[in-house]
């Protein structure tokens, strides 16, 4: 907990704008607030927490715990949390730069990706993260009449599969290229074991070829046995057998990667990477290519654990403080 006397630190007259109210954003806000900065968090949605509340199903993470942690940080008198503010639409990035002495970009990777399979544009093909967003923050889908097929082998894929069961889907099949016996599957052991116990059928080592549609309806997913996932140099280079089989189902959920919407950075001078992340120019401070602008969490280094986002938030706070004060970065002792 935070001592009451710490919640109103002496202000230094400088302000920082943070785009994104997830782990990285809130950690940075906390550390900077303790140093006397006026901090404003700009959160697109009505609830803060990022993937803690949007992506991780409630059966895996108690929302009261998340809300309590965020609320304890928001108690600082010099932290202003503005929910429902979409940077790029409600306020421009340029306006934030004019308003604040420094900016921290912590928008995460909340946009799911798809793969170009035949019939991937069918109305019953969904992005897994969009489904989880509704499951967690909106209204649960009624899947009682829909057999579900999930493509992907990471934790998001297993979250989608287990959530589909909780939406009443009578049959949930998960298909992924990676093979469990070779320790290629990236989903955690807890997720895999939990999914199996609840009824998820895991088709590991089966690569998707086509979403089969008959008479306008999805019949299933055509897959082939995987020969290899990576080439001799360890690069992702899947190779499939010619023989195929059909995994039957009525709807397909893509959980094959994550990206973000960085349209608000267009023309800003902040460089991005080919993967669609913000390019980090200095790993010690998490500075971007533009002076005064920093980035961290998944948007800076790709999908990682929540604790990695927390660590990035603290590192960014040190980098921002160094930039504004002119002092070398120093370790900040967290009291949370």
């Amino acid at each position: 907990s935070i001592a009451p006397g710490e919640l109103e630190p002496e202000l230094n007259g400088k302000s920082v704008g943070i785009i994104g109210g997830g782990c990285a954003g809130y950690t940075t806000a906390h550390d900077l607030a303790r140093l006397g900065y006026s901090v404003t968090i700009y959160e697109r949605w009505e609830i803060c927490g990022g993937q803690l509340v949007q992506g991780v199903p409630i059966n895996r993470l108690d929302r009261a715990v998340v809300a309590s942690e965020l609320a304890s940080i928001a108690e600082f008198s010099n932290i202003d949390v503005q929910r429902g503010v979409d940077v790029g639409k409600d306020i421009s990035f340029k306006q934030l730069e004019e308003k604040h002495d420094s900016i921290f970009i912590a928008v995460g990777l909340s946009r799911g990706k798809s793969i170009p399979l035949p019939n991937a544009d069918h109305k019953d093909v969904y992005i897994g993260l969009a489904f989880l967003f509704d499951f967690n923050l909106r209204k649960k889908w009624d899947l009682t009449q829909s057999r579900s097929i999930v493509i992907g082998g990471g934790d998001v894929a297993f979250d989608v599969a287990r959530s589909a069961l909780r939406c009443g889907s009578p049959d949930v099949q998960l298909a992924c290229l990676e093979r469990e016996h070779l320790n290629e599957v990236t989903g955690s052991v807890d997720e895999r074991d939990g999914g199996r116990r609840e009824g998820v059928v895991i088709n590991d080592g089966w690569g998707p070829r086509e979403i089969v549609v008959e008479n306008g309806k999805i019949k299933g997913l055509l897959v082939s046995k995987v020969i290899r996932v990576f080439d001799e140099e360890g690069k992702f280079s899947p190779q499939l057998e010619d023989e195929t089989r059909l995994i039957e189902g009525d709807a397909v959920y893509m959980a094959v990667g994550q990206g973000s919407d960085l349209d608000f950075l267009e023309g800003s001078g902040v460089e991005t990477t080919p993967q669609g992340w913000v390019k980090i120019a200095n790993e010690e401070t998490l500075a971007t290519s533009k002076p005064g602008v920093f980035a961290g969490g998944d948007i800076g280094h790709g999908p990682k654990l929540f604790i990695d986002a927390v660590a990035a938030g603290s590192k960014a706070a040190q980098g921002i403080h160094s930039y504004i004060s002119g002092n070398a970065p120093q370790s900040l002792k967290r009291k949370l």
Side-chain angles (χ1 to χ4, degrees):
S1 61
I2 303 171
E6 294 183 22
L7 296 176
E8 296 185 8
E10 182 179 349
L11 300 183
N12 59 22
K14 302 295 184 179
S15 73
V16 177
I18 296 176
I19 308 175
C23 287
Y26 261 80
T27 302
T28 305
H30 166 269
D31 287 5
L32 289 174
R34 290 179 56 208
L35 291 172
Y37 290 91
S38 295
V39 181
T40 303
I41 297 175
Y42 300 92
E43 169 57 43
R44 170 186 287 183
W45 304 110
E46 68 274 18
I47 298 177
C48 290
Q51 289 304 305
L52 287 172
V53 296
Q54 296 172 21
V56 180
I58 193 169
N59 55 284
R60 286 217 295 130
L61 181 60
D62 189 336
R63 294 303 187 262
V65 173
V66 177
S68 176
E69 288 293 317
L70 299 182
S72 69
I73 294 174
E75 285 182 8
F76 276 94
S77 61
N78 48 333
I79 294 180
D80 177 24
V81 181
Q82 296 190 12
R83 300 175 183 84
V85 178
D86 193 348
V87 175
K89 295 180 181 178
D90 301 312
I91 188 171
S92 70
F93 187 75
K94 183 177 180 180
Q95 287 175 306
L96 292 188
E97 289 184 292
E98 294 170 349
K99 183 177 180 180
H100 301 286
D101 296 287
S102 184
I103 303 291
F104 179 53
I105 303 170
V107 295
L109 299 175
S110 60
R111 175 178 286 183
K113 295 183 178 181
S114 182
I115 50 178
L117 295 176
N119 296 314
D121 59 348
H122 190 277
K123 65 180 182 64
D124 292 325
V125 176
Y126 306 100
I127 298 298
L129 280 176
F131 164 70
L132 286 176
F133 184 91
D134 280 356
F135 180 82
N136 289 312
L137 292 185
R138 297 290 185 265
K139 185 177 181 180
K140 293 181 181 179
W141 298 9
D142 180 3
L143 301 183
T144 53
Q145 304 300 315
S146 178
R147 297 169 298 167
S148 304
I149 303 171
V150 181
I151 301 176
D155 281 346
V156 172
F158 284 94
D159 282 341
V160 171
R162 299 173 71 179
S163 297
L165 287 172
R166 285 167 172 77
C167 289
S169 184
D171 181 56
V172 178
Q173 302 274 338
L174 183 144
C176 63
L177 292 164
E178 297 82 5
R179 295 158 292 188
E180 283 196 285
H181 72 282
L182 295 178
N183 295 317
E184 295 172 338
V185 179
T186 58
S188 67
V189 174
D190 286 345
E191 280 273 47
R192 282 180 268 157
D193 290 346
R196 281 196 179 89
R197 286 195 302 270
E198 293 169 3
V200 176
V201 178
I202 302 174
N203 300 274
D204 64 305
W206 289 92
R209 285 190 177 273
E210 177 185 354
I211 297 169
V212 179
V213 175
E214 287 188 1
N215 300 319
K217 295 183 177 181
I218 291 179
K219 183 179 180 181
L221 179 69
L222 197 67
V223 296
S224 287
K225 195 72 174 177
V226 171
I227 298 174
R228 73 174 190 194
V229 178
F230 305 98
D231 63 18
E232 293 77 8
E233 298 178 355
K235 295 180 180 179
F236 184 71
S237 180
Q239 185 176 348
L240 308 179
E241 294 180 356
D242 292 332
E243 187 177 348
T244 62
R245 72 179 180 93
L246 184 70
I247 299 175
E248 295 186 357
D250 308 298
V252 174
Y253 298 81
M254 298 278 192
V256 292
Q258 298 168 243
S260 189
D261 179 3
L262 296 178
D263 289 348
F264 66 89
L265 290 177
E266 186 175 350
S268 68
V270 177
E271 295 181 19
T272 57
T273 70
Q275 299 100 317
W277 310 336
V278 176
K279 185 176 181 180
I280 303 299
N282 186 320
E283 290 292 345
E284 182 182 357
T285 64
L286 298 189
T288 68
S289 59
K290 189 170 188 180
V293 180
F294 298 75
D298 288 356
I299 197 62
H301 296 96
K304 292 184 179 296
L305 299 175
F306 290 121
I307 193 61
D308 293 310
V310 171
S314 278
K315 181 183 286 189
Q318 296 173 37
I320 292 169
H321 178 53
S322 173
Y323 168 78
I324 294 177
S325 67
N327 298 320
Q330 58 182 350
S331 177
L332 298 176
K333 294 182 179 180
R334 290 182 53 77
K335 292 189 177 182
L336 278 182

